[in-house]
Amino acid sequence: MSVNQIELELAANTGPAWLAVEGAPVTVSFPAEAVRFEGDELCFVTGGDVVRTVPRNEVAALSWRSTARGKPASPRNAGAAWTDEEREQLTAEVHGGVSWAEIGRRHERSVAGVRLEAEKLGLIEAPK
């Protein structure tokens, strides 16, 4: 069984009750073998069983990371210092409304990593 790490960015306008988020997109990550849509639900599947569902209208972005031997794969630039050019690009992306999942993909960093750098730059507020 190959379990993958699947990241979702949940839309800010829906405010999923199970996360109690106020006004900002939230990124969540689930281990699963696969993901599929069934009607209005996004289903996470492991061992042929649906292990989690999320309403489709709450999903703003979806990214997929394959894992090796049960360990999540690290993005290529994980832990690398940010350059001034990358910070300028991050600023433009955040102000331009690019999703966190897409920003992470562009920078080859985790969503958590790009959000943390955005916090350090004062582009977003730290979660409370």
Side-chain angles (χ1 to χ4, degrees), residues 90-116:
L90 175 63
T91 300
E93 291 163 342
V94 170
H95 289 305
V98 178
S99 75
W100 293 111
E102 178 61 18
I103 294 171
R105 188 193 66 71
R106 290 178 183 182
H107 291 269
E108 298 186 66
R109 297 176 184 271
S110 69
V111 170
V114 295
R115 286 182 63 95
L116 180 61

PDB file of all heavy atoms in Angstrom, residues 90-116:
ATOM      1  N   LEU A  90       6.907  35.989  -3.839  1.00  0.00           N
ATOM      2  CA  LEU A  90       5.911  35.578  -2.840  1.00  0.00           C
ATOM      3  C   LEU A  90       4.957  36.728  -2.533  1.00  0.00           C
ATOM      4  O   LEU A  90       3.740  36.533  -2.483  1.00  0.00           O
ATOM      5  CB  LEU A  90       6.608  35.111  -1.553  1.00  0.00           C
ATOM      6  CG  LEU A  90       5.705  34.754  -0.372  1.00  0.00           C
ATOM      7  CD1 LEU A  90       4.796  33.573  -0.707  1.00  0.00           C
ATOM      8  CD2 LEU A  90       6.557  34.451   0.858  1.00  0.00           C
ATOM      9  N   THR A  91       5.488  37.917  -2.356  1.00  0.00           N
ATOM     10  CA  THR A  91       4.662  39.095  -2.087  1.00  0.00           C
ATOM     11  C   THR A  91       3.663  39.320  -3.214  1.00  0.00           C
ATOM     12  O   THR A  91       2.465  39.525  -2.969  1.00  0.00           O
ATOM     13  CB  THR A  91       5.550  40.341  -1.887  1.00  0.00           C
ATOM     14  OG1 THR A  91       6.422  40.105  -0.772  1.00  0.00           O
ATOM     15  CG2 THR A  91       4.709  41.581  -1.635  1.00  0.00           C
ATOM     16  N   ALA A  92       4.139  39.265  -4.454  1.00  0.00           N
ATOM     17  CA  ALA A  92       3.254  39.456  -5.611  1.00  0.00           C
ATOM     18  C   ALA A  92       2.185  38.366  -5.671  1.00  0.00           C
ATOM     19  O   ALA A  92       1.013  38.646  -5.969  1.00  0.00           O
ATOM     20  CB  ALA A  92       4.077  39.480  -6.902  1.00  0.00           C
ATOM     21  N   GLU A  93       2.567  37.123  -5.372  1.00  0.00           N
ATOM     22  CA  GLU A  93       1.621  36.007  -5.422  1.00  0.00           C
ATOM     23  C   GLU A  93       0.541  36.146  -4.355  1.00  0.00           C
ATOM     24  O   GLU A  93      -0.645  35.935  -4.623  1.00  0.00           O
ATOM     25  CB  GLU A  93       2.370  34.678  -5.277  1.00  0.00           C
ATOM     26  CG  GLU A  93       3.219  34.358  -6.481  1.00  0.00           C
ATOM     27  CD  GLU A  93       4.278  33.298  -6.229  1.00  0.00           C
ATOM     28  OE1 GLU A  93       4.614  33.032  -5.057  1.00  0.00           O
ATOM     29  OE2 GLU A  93       4.779  32.753  -7.219  1.00  0.00           O
ATOM     30  N   VAL A  94       0.951  36.512  -3.144  1.00  0.00           N
ATOM     31  CA  VAL A  94      -0.024  36.673  -2.053  1.00  0.00           C
ATOM     32  C   VAL A  94      -0.981  37.816  -2.378  1.00  0.00           C
ATOM     33  O   VAL A  94      -2.206  37.666  -2.265  1.00  0.00           O
ATOM     34  CB  VAL A  94       0.683  36.901  -0.695  1.00  0.00           C
ATOM     35  CG1 VAL A  94      -0.314  37.298   0.380  1.00  0.00           C
ATOM     36  CG2 VAL A  94       1.432  35.649  -0.286  1.00  0.00           C
ATOM     37  N   HIS A  95      -0.444  38.952  -2.824  1.00  0.00           N
ATOM     38  CA  HIS A  95      -1.297  40.089  -3.174  1.00  0.00           C
ATOM     39  C   HIS A  95      -2.147  39.793  -4.404  1.00  0.00           C
ATOM     40  O   HIS A  95      -3.226  40.356  -4.560  1.00  0.00           O
ATOM     41  CB  HIS A  95      -0.462  41.352  -3.408  1.00  0.00           C
ATOM     42  CG  HIS A  95       0.130  41.918  -2.152  1.00  0.00           C
ATOM     43  ND1 HIS A  95      -0.613  42.253  -1.039  1.00  0.00           N
ATOM     44  CD2 HIS A  95       1.416  42.193  -1.828  1.00  0.00           C
ATOM     45  CE1 HIS A  95       0.170  42.717  -0.094  1.00  0.00           C
ATOM     46  NE2 HIS A  95       1.416  42.684  -0.532  1.00  0.00           N
ATOM     47  N   GLY A  96      -1.681  38.893  -5.262  1.00  0.00           N
ATOM     48  CA  GLY A  96      -2.412  38.536  -6.471  1.00  0.00           C
ATOM     49  C   GLY A  96      -3.456  37.450  -6.254  1.00  0.00           C
ATOM     50  O   GLY A  96      -4.127  37.034  -7.195  1.00  0.00           O
ATOM     51  N   GLY A  97      -3.575  36.949  -5.025  1.00  0.00           N
ATOM     52  CA  GLY A  97      -4.600  35.955  -4.726  1.00  0.00           C
ATOM     53  C   GLY A  97      -4.287  34.550  -5.208  1.00  0.00           C
ATOM     54  O   GLY A  97      -5.175  33.719  -5.332  1.00  0.00           O
ATOM     55  N   VAL A  98      -3.015  34.249  -5.454  1.00  0.00           N
ATOM     56  CA  VAL A  98      -2.620  32.901  -5.864  1.00  0.00           C
ATOM     57  C   VAL A  98      -2.818  31.967  -4.667  1.00  0.00           C
ATOM     58  O   VAL A  98      -2.527  32.339  -3.528  1.00  0.00           O
ATOM     59  CB  VAL A  98      -1.143  32.880  -6.337  1.00  0.00           C
ATOM     60  CG1 VAL A  98      -0.706  31.481  -6.712  1.00  0.00           C
ATOM     61  CG2 VAL A  98      -0.954  33.842  -7.508  1.00  0.00           C
ATOM     62  N   SER A  99      -3.321  30.767  -4.898  1.00  0.00           N
ATOM     63  CA  SER A  99      -3.575  29.832  -3.792  1.00  0.00           C
ATOM     64  C   SER A  99      -2.260  29.410  -3.136  1.00  0.00           C
ATOM     65  O   SER A  99      -1.201  29.399  -3.776  1.00  0.00           O
ATOM     66  CB  SER A  99      -4.323  28.590  -4.289  1.00  0.00           C
ATOM     67  OG  SER A  99      -3.454  27.733  -4.990  1.00  0.00           O
ATOM     68  N   TRP A 100      -2.343  29.038  -1.874  1.00  0.00           N
ATOM     69  CA  TRP A 100      -1.153  28.585  -1.140  1.00  0.00           C
ATOM     70  C   TRP A 100      -0.564  27.336  -1.773  1.00  0.00           C
ATOM     71  O   TRP A 100       0.657  27.183  -1.853  1.00  0.00           O
ATOM     72  CB  TRP A 100      -1.477  28.349   0.335  1.00  0.00           C
ATOM     73  CG  TRP A 100      -1.800  29.627   1.036  1.00  0.00           C
ATOM     74  CD1 TRP A 100      -3.012  30.014   1.507  1.00  0.00           C
ATOM     75  CD2 TRP A 100      -0.904  30.707   1.309  1.00  0.00           C
ATOM     76  NE1 TRP A 100      -2.922  31.278   2.056  1.00  0.00           N
ATOM     77  CE2 TRP A 100      -1.640  31.717   1.948  1.00  0.00           C
ATOM     78  CE3 TRP A 100       0.446  30.931   1.067  1.00  0.00           C
ATOM     79  CZ2 TRP A 100      -1.075  32.920   2.356  1.00  0.00           C
ATOM     80  CZ3 TRP A 100       1.024  32.128   1.482  1.00  0.00           C
ATOM     81  CH2 TRP A 100       0.264  33.101   2.114  1.00  0.00           C
ATOM     82  N   ALA A 101      -1.408  26.450  -2.230  1.00  0.00           N
ATOM     83  CA  ALA A 101      -0.915  25.225  -2.868  1.00  0.00           C
ATOM     84  C   ALA A 101      -0.103  25.562  -4.124  1.00  0.00           C
ATOM     85  O   ALA A 101       0.965  24.995  -4.360  1.00  0.00           O
ATOM     86  CB  ALA A 101      -2.073  24.297  -3.212  1.00  0.00           C
ATOM     87  N   GLU A 102      -0.586  26.508  -4.916  1.00  0.00           N
ATOM     88  CA  GLU A 102       0.127  26.912  -6.132  1.00  0.00           C
ATOM     89  C   GLU A 102       1.421  27.646  -5.791  1.00  0.00           C
ATOM     90  O   GLU A 102       2.452  27.432  -6.426  1.00  0.00           O
ATOM     91  CB  GLU A 102      -0.770  27.778  -7.019  1.00  0.00           C
ATOM     92  CG  GLU A 102      -0.100  28.292  -8.274  1.00  0.00           C
ATOM     93  CD  GLU A 102       0.393  27.217  -9.240  1.00  0.00           C
ATOM     94  OE1 GLU A 102      -0.048  26.052  -9.142  1.00  0.00           O
ATOM     95  OE2 GLU A 102       1.255  27.529 -10.097  1.00  0.00           O
ATOM     96  N   ILE A 103       1.387  28.503  -4.780  1.00  0.00           N
ATOM     97  CA  ILE A 103       2.612  29.203  -4.361  1.00  0.00           C
ATOM     98  C   ILE A 103       3.654  28.182  -3.918  1.00  0.00           C
ATOM     99  O   ILE A 103       4.819  28.265  -4.298  1.00  0.00           O
ATOM    100  CB  ILE A 103       2.318  30.225  -3.237  1.00  0.00           C
ATOM    101  CG1 ILE A 103       1.440  31.361  -3.759  1.00  0.00           C
ATOM    102  CG2 ILE A 103       3.627  30.783  -2.664  1.00  0.00           C
ATOM    103  CD1 ILE A 103       0.929  32.305  -2.671  1.00  0.00           C
ATOM    104  N   GLY A 104       3.235  27.198  -3.123  1.00  0.00           N
ATOM    105  CA  GLY A 104       4.160  26.152  -2.687  1.00  0.00           C
ATOM    106  C   GLY A 104       4.758  25.415  -3.868  1.00  0.00           C
ATOM    107  O   GLY A 104       5.965  25.147  -3.904  1.00  0.00           O
ATOM    108  N   ARG A 105       3.921  25.085  -4.855  1.00  0.00           N
ATOM    109  CA  ARG A 105       4.408  24.384  -6.049  1.00  0.00           C
ATOM    110  C   ARG A 105       5.422  25.239  -6.799  1.00  0.00           C
ATOM    111  O   ARG A 105       6.480  24.764  -7.196  1.00  0.00           O
ATOM    112  CB  ARG A 105       3.230  24.030  -6.968  1.00  0.00           C
ATOM    113  CG  ARG A 105       3.630  23.126  -8.129  1.00  0.00           C
ATOM    114  CD  ARG A 105       2.560  23.028  -9.182  1.00  0.00           C
ATOM    115  NE  ARG A 105       2.308  24.288  -9.881  1.00  0.00           N
ATOM    116  CZ  ARG A 105       3.140  24.862 -10.755  1.00  0.00           C
ATOM    117  NH1 ARG A 105       4.288  24.300 -11.050  1.00  0.00           N
ATOM    118  NH2 ARG A 105       2.830  26.001 -11.340  1.00  0.00           N
ATOM    119  N   ARG A 106       5.115  26.512  -6.986  1.00  0.00           N
ATOM    120  CA  ARG A 106       6.018  27.409  -7.728  1.00  0.00           C
ATOM    121  C   ARG A 106       7.377  27.551  -7.051  1.00  0.00           C
ATOM    122  O   ARG A 106       8.402  27.637  -7.710  1.00  0.00           O
ATOM    123  CB  ARG A 106       5.382  28.789  -7.875  1.00  0.00           C
ATOM    124  CG  ARG A 106       4.202  28.822  -8.810  1.00  0.00           C
ATOM    125  CD  ARG A 106       3.601  30.210  -8.861  1.00  0.00           C
ATOM    126  NE  ARG A 106       2.424  30.256  -9.708  1.00  0.00           N
ATOM    127  CZ  ARG A 106       1.741  31.370  -9.942  1.00  0.00           C
ATOM    128  NH1 ARG A 106       2.113  32.515  -9.396  1.00  0.00           N
ATOM    129  NH2 ARG A 106       0.677  31.336 -10.724  1.00  0.00           N
ATOM    130  N   HIS A 107       7.378  27.596  -5.735  1.00  0.00           N
ATOM    131  CA  HIS A 107       8.626  27.785  -4.985  1.00  0.00           C
ATOM    132  C   HIS A 107       9.280  26.462  -4.600  1.00  0.00           C
ATOM    133  O   HIS A 107      10.361  26.470  -4.013  1.00  0.00           O
ATOM    134  CB  HIS A 107       8.364  28.620  -3.727  1.00  0.00           C
ATOM    135  CG  HIS A 107       8.032  30.043  -4.019  1.00  0.00           C
ATOM    136  ND1 HIS A 107       8.984  31.035  -4.102  1.00  0.00           N
ATOM    137  CD2 HIS A 107       6.844  30.653  -4.281  1.00  0.00           C
ATOM    138  CE1 HIS A 107       8.413  32.186  -4.378  1.00  0.00           C
ATOM    139  NE2 HIS A 107       7.098  31.979  -4.495  1.00  0.00           N
ATOM    140  N   GLU A 108       8.599  25.366  -4.897  1.00  0.00           N
ATOM    141  CA  GLU A 108       9.064  24.028  -4.507  1.00  0.00           C
ATOM    142  C   GLU A 108       9.322  23.960  -3.001  1.00  0.00           C
ATOM    143  O   GLU A 108      10.345  23.509  -2.524  1.00  0.00           O
ATOM    144  CB  GLU A 108      10.295  23.621  -5.311  1.00  0.00           C
ATOM    145  CG  GLU A 108      10.014  23.523  -6.809  1.00  0.00           C
ATOM    146  CD  GLU A 108      11.179  22.996  -7.599  1.00  0.00           C
ATOM    147  OE1 GLU A 108      11.524  21.824  -7.398  1.00  0.00           O
ATOM    148  OE2 GLU A 108      11.740  23.781  -8.395  1.00  0.00           O
ATOM    149  N   ARG A 109       8.301  24.436  -2.268  1.00  0.00           N
ATOM    150  CA  ARG A 109       8.312  24.453  -0.812  1.00  0.00           C
ATOM    151  C   ARG A 109       6.949  23.986  -0.329  1.00  0.00           C
ATOM    152  O   ARG A 109       5.981  23.977  -1.086  1.00  0.00           O
ATOM    153  CB  ARG A 109       8.583  25.865  -0.272  1.00  0.00           C
ATOM    154  CG  ARG A 109       9.951  26.421  -0.656  1.00  0.00           C
ATOM    155  CD  ARG A 109      10.106  27.856  -0.160  1.00  0.00           C
ATOM    156  NE  ARG A 109      11.357  28.454  -0.573  1.00  0.00           N
ATOM    157  CZ  ARG A 109      12.491  28.378   0.116  1.00  0.00           C
ATOM    158  NH1 ARG A 109      12.527  27.712   1.255  1.00  0.00           N
ATOM    159  NH2 ARG A 109      13.583  28.960  -0.317  1.00  0.00           N
ATOM    160  N   SER A 110       6.852  23.615   0.927  1.00  0.00           N
ATOM    161  CA  SER A 110       5.563  23.189   1.471  1.00  0.00           C
ATOM    162  C   SER A 110       4.647  24.401   1.628  1.00  0.00           C
ATOM    163  O   SER A 110       5.110  25.549   1.710  1.00  0.00           O
ATOM    164  CB  SER A 110       5.757  22.512   2.829  1.00  0.00           C
ATOM    165  OG  SER A 110       6.170  23.468   3.789  1.00  0.00           O
ATOM    166  N   VAL A 111       3.364  24.129   1.696  1.00  0.00           N
ATOM    167  CA  VAL A 111       2.393  25.199   1.943  1.00  0.00           C
ATOM    168  C   VAL A 111       2.691  25.853   3.287  1.00  0.00           C
ATOM    169  O   VAL A 111       2.656  27.076   3.411  1.00  0.00           O
ATOM    170  CB  VAL A 111       0.952  24.649   1.879  1.00  0.00           C
ATOM    171  CG1 VAL A 111      -0.050  25.681   2.357  1.00  0.00           C
ATOM    172  CG2 VAL A 111       0.617  24.197   0.467  1.00  0.00           C
ATOM    173  N   ALA A 112       3.007  25.039   4.289  1.00  0.00           N
ATOM    174  CA  ALA A 112       3.342  25.595   5.606  1.00  0.00           C
ATOM    175  C   ALA A 112       4.561  26.512   5.513  1.00  0.00           C
ATOM    176  O   ALA A 112       4.606  27.566   6.153  1.00  0.00           O
ATOM    177  CB  ALA A 112       3.589  24.469   6.604  1.00  0.00           C
ATOM    178  N   GLY A 113       5.550  26.121   4.702  1.00  0.00           N
ATOM    179  CA  GLY A 113       6.758  26.919   4.543  1.00  0.00           C
ATOM    180  C   GLY A 113       6.500  28.269   3.899  1.00  0.00           C
ATOM    181  O   GLY A 113       7.036  29.295   4.337  1.00  0.00           O
ATOM    182  N   VAL A 114       5.670  28.298   2.857  1.00  0.00           N
ATOM    183  CA  VAL A 114       5.391  29.574   2.200  1.00  0.00           C
ATOM    184  C   VAL A 114       4.495  30.457   3.067  1.00  0.00           C
ATOM    185  O   VAL A 114       4.666  31.677   3.099  1.00  0.00           O
ATOM    186  CB  VAL A 114       4.816  29.408   0.769  1.00  0.00           C
ATOM    187  CG1 VAL A 114       5.837  28.771  -0.155  1.00  0.00           C
ATOM    188  CG2 VAL A 114       3.525  28.642   0.745  1.00  0.00           C
ATOM    189  N   ARG A 115       3.567  29.842   3.804  1.00  0.00           N
ATOM    190  CA  ARG A 115       2.729  30.634   4.714  1.00  0.00           C
ATOM    191  C   ARG A 115       3.576  31.247   5.834  1.00  0.00           C
ATOM    192  O   ARG A 115       3.373  32.403   6.218  1.00  0.00           O
ATOM    193  CB  ARG A 115       1.599  29.787   5.294  1.00  0.00           C
ATOM    194  CG  ARG A 115       0.483  29.499   4.290  1.00  0.00           C
ATOM    195  CD  ARG A 115      -0.637  28.698   4.913  1.00  0.00           C
ATOM    196  NE  ARG A 115      -1.287  29.416   5.991  1.00  0.00           N
ATOM    197  CZ  ARG A 115      -2.390  30.149   5.851  1.00  0.00           C
ATOM    198  NH1 ARG A 115      -2.969  30.251   4.687  1.00  0.00           N
ATOM    199  NH2 ARG A 115      -2.908  30.772   6.889  1.00  0.00           N
ATOM    200  N   LEU A 116       4.533  30.478   6.362  1.00  0.00           N
ATOM    201  CA  LEU A 116       5.405  30.992   7.419  1.00  0.00           C
ATOM    202  C   LEU A 116       6.225  32.182   6.918  1.00  0.00           C
ATOM    203  O   LEU A 116       6.360  33.194   7.605  1.00  0.00           O
ATOM    204  CB  LEU A 116       6.325  29.884   7.936  1.00  0.00           C
ATOM    205  CG  LEU A 116       7.287  30.288   9.046  1.00  0.00           C
ATOM    206  CD1 LEU A 116       6.532  30.754  10.283  1.00  0.00           C
ATOM    207  CD2 LEU A 116       8.191  29.124   9.404  1.00  0.00           C
TER     208      LEU A 116
END
